[in-house]
Amino acid sequence: MNRFEDLEAITRLNEPMAAHTSFGVGGRVSYFIEPRDWDELQLIYSRAAEDGLRVRVLGRGCNTLVADGDHDWAVLSTKRLTRFRREGNRLEVGAGYDLARLVARAEALGLAGFEALAGIPGSVGGAVAMNAGGRYGCIGERLVSAVVAVPGHAPRWMLAGEMGLGYRGSNLIDGRPFLFSATFELDTAVPRQLQERRRFIIQEKRASQPMDARSAGCVFKNPKGTSAGYLIDQAGLKGTSVGGAVVSHKHANFIVNRGDASATDILQLIGIVVERVVEKFNVRLELEIEVWTD
Ligand code: EPU
């Protein structure tokens, strides 16, 4: 039975999540749906609620590890929610807008404030939910408000202060509530200067991170006062592997899919890393990536 027959144009059945995640692993989901507007979004939520079907929200899949096997979920992809509206120094951007594209577009418009996000893959919705960033800042610093969807209700405005944005997290994780679009306030600057800064940040990242490998970025959050990458490295774990999953030689907080890894390999490797870091430093690393299991 296809519960979303009337949304055929935007629905794929039994879709492999390996095709939609940067790790390139993960089992199949019953429904993979790409709503184009608010009405389709609401329809998906209400239909899923009627049938007791779990809805999970995916941006570009750059920070998500989906378990192997079959999952009876409706994965709601934000890919087609790509609104872009400028009003002076404010940008209202759809959840599915590509983050790298946003950084480039703001730069071309002479709008400053997104340079710290250079080189971070993902969607705007995912970046806000995770409060993505690096050593020069995070996306939350520029966020003013968002339009969110609470299933069965009209669109709701939320101010940045209500979203619980903190270090790599917020209360919007996994689409509860679902972020539809976000509004940012930027400064003005000369595009050339912004370009230089962006290039510098990307170069710096490229020197220390396996940017071209299949990964989900940093796997663990940094514990207070130290770096997860440093601890994993000092525990001698670089190069440790399970199946096709390996702890990166370039940056120890990255797990890389060498090509034939499964989600199970990655999960086992995560378990080994956590265990060894506890043994050596008595520190329990917490996941930064989102793991989707049944
Ligand atoms: N280090 C090692 N070995 C390693 C990796 C790092 O000794 O294999 C040491 C470095 O030499 C440095 C310290 O650990 O002294 C910190 O490393 P780095 O500067 O690479 O920063 P990080 O804390 O590991 C954080 C973010 C990254 C972000 C970078 C740069 C987290 C979990 N990670 O990494 O974000 O790109 O700063 O701004 O907060 C991500 O969130 O996915 C991510 C990659």
Side-chain angles (χ1 to χ4, degrees):
M1 179 188 66
N2 177 3
R3 292 134 151 160
F4 298 95
E5 216 154 24
D6 49 338
L7 294 176
E8 194 184 20
I10 54 164
T11 303
R12 289 185 236 184
L13 305 178
N14 301 318
E15 185 68 4
M17 292 305 287
H20 300 283
T21 54
S22 55
F23 261 135
V25 303
R28 289 175 188 272
V29 298
S30 307
Y31 305 96
F32 185 86
I33 318 175
E34 299 176 15
R36 293 165 290 199
D37 55 34
W38 184 270
D39 291 342
E40 285 180 348
L41 182 72
Q42 289 297 350
L43 184 62
I44 296 161
Y45 272 115
S46 62
R47 187 74 50 77
E50 280 164 23
D51 292 353
L53 183 68
R54 175 152 194 198
V55 177
R56 308 205 76 151
V57 176
L58 191 75
R60 300 274 146 153
C62 296
N63 205 51
T64 304
L65 173 61
V66 182
D68 297 321
D70 294 335
H71 310 289
D72 193 23
W73 305 329
V75 170
L76 205 159
S77 162
T78 62
K79 217 179 269 174
R80 298 201 203 192
L81 299 173
T82 53
R83 155 205 290 270
F84 184 94
R85 218 158 55 102
R86 178 187 183 183
E87 228 175 278
N89 279 14
R90 287 199 170 189
L91 297 180
E92 189 199 346
V93 192
Y97 206 90
D98 183 73
L99 192 63
R101 226 179 128 215
L102 176 63
V103 173
R105 197 151 172 194
E107 179 183 300
L109 291 169
L111 293 173
F114 284 152
E115 306 82 74
L117 307 175
I120 300 177
S123 65
V124 167
V128 170
M130 285 301 301
N131 196 13
R135 75 172 57 131
Y136 301 109
C138 50
I139 195 165
E141 289 164 22
R142 293 293 170 168
L143 187 66
V144 178
S145 62
V147 176
V148 301
V150 179
H153 291 80
R156 179 160 110 70
W157 281 96
M158 226 174 156
L159 292 173
E162 299 173 80
M163 295 182 211
L165 294 162
Y167 166 61
R168 292 300 189 279
S170 74
N171 47 31
L172 303 171
I173 299 279
D174 201 8
R176 283 176 298 234
F178 176 90
L179 184 134
F180 190 71
S181 67
T183 299
F184 303 97
E185 169 98 30
L186 299 161
D187 300 318
T188 36
V190 182
R192 201 175 170 76
Q193 284 170 355
L194 296 175
Q195 188 190 54
E196 271 169 30
R197 180 124 180 92
R198 173 171 58 85
R199 287 191 174 153
F200 168 78
I201 291 172
I202 289 181
Q203 219 172 25
E204 204 178 55
K205 264 177 104 75
R206 206 166 268 290
S208 66
Q209 299 180 4
M211 283 177 72
D212 299 324
R214 275 197 246 173
S215 81
C218 285
V219 172
F220 301 99
K221 291 182 183 174
N222 282 339
K224 260 205 169 70
T226 183
S227 154
Y230 173 80
L231 297 179
I232 299 165
D233 191 351
Q234 291 303 305
L237 289 162
K238 277 184 169 175
T240 305
S241 64
V242 174
V246 60
V247 175
S248 167
H249 282 283
K250 202 161 186 183
H251 194 300
N253 199 3
F254 282 62
I255 288 179
V256 165
N257 174 4
R258 280 192 292 215
D260 56 350
S262 64
T264 308
D265 293 341
I266 297 171
L267 285 166
Q268 276 178 16
L269 188 53
I270 286 172
I272 292 171
V273 169
V274 170
E275 208 173 288
R276 295 263 194 90
V277 170
V278 167
E279 277 164 20
K280 178 128 189 168
F281 298 104
N282 200 24
V283 173
R284 182 160 289 274
L285 294 175
E286 277 176 35
L287 285 175
E288 193 225 82
I289 59 168
E290 251 186 81
V291 178
W292 288 9
T293 57
D294 285 299

